[in-house]
Amino acid sequence: MAYPSLTVHLLVSAPGDVPEEDQRVVRETIDTWNFTSGRWVAPTPVSVLPVLWGMHAYSQMGYRPQEALNKQFVEEADMALAIFANRLGTPTGEADSGTVEEIDIMRKAGKHVSLLRNTGVAMSGGTAAAEQRLKLETYLDTVKHEGQGLVFEYDDHVALARQVNLMLSGQSMALSQAASASAREGIPPSGDPAIGVWPSVEVVERPTTDSKGRPRTRRSRYLVLTNKTGRPVRNVRFRYETADDRPFDARPDHEAIPTMAPDGHQRFPIMVYAGTAEQAECIVTWQYEPEGEVSLAYAEVEEYETRATVRIV
C-alpha cells in the first residue's frame, strides 16, 4: 500500500580511487533500508535517495566544474556520505579536492556529514600516489584532532553496509522529527513532501461466489486520505483531475470532512466502470484547526493543498 514519506537526498561523494563496488553496496544498502526500516521511521516515514555525480550530473557551461555540481545537487542535499581510500582527490580551485569542497559546503549549511575510509584498497606506486596518500592522511588527521568529526574505517562490504545503516537510522529519525516539529509550529506544507493531507488508493479483495456457486474475488477500491500534518485539520476536501477529462470515480462529489485528527484516516469508496480513467491527480485542500483561543481572524485562515497521482490498481 502506498504511503506518504519524507524524501531525503543523500550526497555520496568519493575520489576516483574508491572502488565502484563500494558505491554499489551503498546504493543497495539504501534500497534495502528504505523498504525494511525507512517506512517505519516515526513520526514520519523516510525515503532516502542517493545522489552521485557520476549518475546525476549533466553538462553545464559558465561555472567551475565543481561549482556546477554544487549548484546541481550538492547544495540541495540533506546529508552527505564521503568515502576515501588512498587519495584526497583533485584540487578544485576552492578546495583541496571536490569531495573536500562538498564536505565544506554541507558542514557550513549545518547538515550531517559522515566520513568513511576504505583501508582495504592497495595503494599505487610512485611519487604522485605517495603525495596523494600524505594529503589524505593530513586532512583526516585534521578532522580527527581538531574535533571536526569522527572517521570510521572499513575493510569489507559488511562493515561498509553496517556504517551506512547506522547513519541512515540515526539521521532519518532526526530529519523526521524536525519535519514533524515544523508542522506543529504551523509552517505551511509547501515544498515539504512529508507535511500534508495525502491521498492514496486502497484495494480490498473479498472472496465471493457467482450465480452458479463458483468462487470469485470481489475487488473494492477506496480513496484514503491521511493527515500527515502533525496537527488537527478541518474542512478537508478533494477532487480529481484527469488528462482526458474522463471521470476517475463515478460516485457523486463527497462532502467536506469537518475535522481530521493528526495521523487520522478517512476512506471513500471509488466506483469504477469501463469508461473511467485508470489514474488521476487527486487534489486535497484543508485548513489548520486553530490553536488556543479562536478569534475573528480565524475566518480568514489560509487554505493549503497537496497533490498526488492515484491509480486504479
Side-chain angles (χ1 to χ4, degrees):
M1 177 178 174
Y3 58 90
S5 68
L6 176 67
T7 303
V8 175
H9 286 184
L10 170 63
L11 173 66
V12 181
S13 181
D17 67 323
V18 174
E20 292 185 5
E21 185 72 5
D22 287 16
Q23 298 188 26
R24 182 189 64 79
V25 170
V26 170
R27 296 195 302 271
E28 290 182 353
T29 302
I30 293 172
D31 287 343
T32 302
W33 183 91
N34 282 334
F35 183 77
T36 60
S37 301
R39 58 179 175 167
W40 306 115
V41 174
T44 301
V46 172
S47 298
V48 178
L49 298 180
V51 180
L52 304 92
W53 78 267
M55 296 179 61
H56 300 104
Y58 57 87
S59 176
Q60 186 174 10
M61 303 297 290
Y63 300 97
R64 288 184 300 114
Q66 183 60 49
E67 185 180 7
L69 299 181
N70 297 343
K71 292 182 178 296
Q72 288 177 25
F73 50 75
V74 175
E75 294 171 356
E76 295 184 356
D78 300 290
M79 55 183 176
L81 173 65
I83 305 176
F84 293 100
N86 294 309
R87 300 181 68 251
L88 184 62
T90 304
T92 65
E94 295 290 336
D96 291 333
S97 75
T99 299
V100 171
E101 184 168 334
E102 291 169 1
I103 291 172
D104 290 343
I105 289 173
M106 297 294 289
R107 290 184 60 216
K108 289 177 181 177
K111 299 176 182 178
H112 173 84
V113 179
S114 284
L115 291 182
L116 300 181
R117 184 180 185 185
N118 186 340
T119 59
V121 177
M123 188 179 77
S124 302
T127 303
E131 291 177 349
Q132 274 289 319
R133 178 67 175 260
L134 178 60
K135 288 182 178 179
L136 175 62
E137 297 286 359
T138 301
Y139 175 75
L140 295 180
D141 284 343
T142 300
V143 171
K144 296 175 185 177
H145 298 144
E146 293 187 2
Q148 298 181 22
L150 294 172
V151 180
F152 281 93
E153 298 180 346
Y154 66 93
D155 56 8
D156 58 45
H157 291 154
V158 174
L160 172 59
R162 179 176 180 273
Q163 284 297 320
V164 173
N165 268 305
L166 289 172
M167 180 200 65
L168 294 177
S169 296
Q171 292 305 308
S172 64
M173 183 173 296
L175 289 167
S176 175
Q177 291 173 348
S180 180
S182 296
R184 289 194 298 271
E185 292 169 3
I187 296 176
S190 176
D192 189 338
I195 300 174
V197 181
W198 287 96
S200 61
V201 172
E202 176 182 330
V203 180
V204 178
E205 295 184 343
R206 299 182 178 89
T208 186
T209 57
D210 62 14
S211 60
K212 297 183 178 180
R214 292 172 295 189
R216 292 288 187 269
T217 298
R218 182 178 180 180
R219 176 174 291 184
S220 300
R221 300 170 176 84
Y222 299 88
L223 177 76
V224 181
L225 301 183
T226 305
N227 178 12
K228 301 300 292 184
T229 67
R231 290 176 53 184
V233 295
R234 72 180 189 103
N235 197 27
V236 182
R237 301 175 182 272
F238 68 90
R239 69 181 190 275
Y240 301 111
E241 292 181 359
T242 58
D244 53 8
D245 293 328
R246 287 187 298 159
F248 178 78
D249 181 1
R251 293 182 183 273
D253 294 339
H254 297 276
E255 295 183 358
I257 304 169
T259 59
M260 287 184 70
D263 296 318
H265 303 272
Q266 290 283 343
R267 298 168 80 229
F268 299 88
I270 301 174
M271 180 180 292
V272 179
Y273 60 88
T276 54
E278 294 183 354
Q279 72 176 35
E281 186 173 37
C282 184
I283 298 92
V284 185
T285 60
W286 80 94
Q287 298 167 341
Y288 283 120
E289 280 283 4
E291 295 184 340
E293 184 178 353
V294 180
S295 67
L296 293 178
Y298 182 65
E300 301 177 358
V301 68
E302 185 173 358
E303 186 173 74
Y304 297 113
E305 177 183 290
T306 46
R307 292 172 174 256
T309 300
V310 291
R311 291 180 54 84
I312 297 299
V313 181

